Amino acid sequence: MPAEGRLRIAVSDTRPDLLPPRPGTLDVPSSEAEGGRGLLLVEALAADWGWTADDPVVKTVWAELDLPPA
């Protein structure tokens, strides 16, 4: 559950065997790499993010964004 004043975005897929690194442990890909920057953007823009793989066939990656005051 997100904190008040935050928007949570979550994406699930059926590949719990392909787990991303934990927040704060991402490596910057080489300049020649064709991928590997998506979670770096999430980490730079989100107030918080992480993932869960509690189900044996599903993993969920989530991010929380701070909302401006109303």
Side-chain angles (χ1 to χ4, degrees):
M1 179 65 83
E4 187 159 335
R6 285 191 174 175
L7 170 69
R8 179 176 278 214
I9 301 164
V11 178
S12 297
D13 69 39
T14 56
R15 293 297 309 263
D17 55 315
L18 297 175
L19 296 175
R22 289 288 180 189
T25 64
L26 298 174
D27 291 325
V28 177
S30 73
S31 60
E32 293 83 29
E34 292 184 14
R37 294 171 184 82
L39 285 177
L40 287 172
L41 290 170
V42 169
E43 188 161 74
L45 299 172
D48 195 15
W49 75 275
W51 55 265
T52 59
D54 299 329
D55 185 302
V57 295
V58 175
K59 94 171 157 263
T60 301
V61 178
W62 56 269
E64 293 182 357
L65 304 173
D66 287 325
L67 297 175

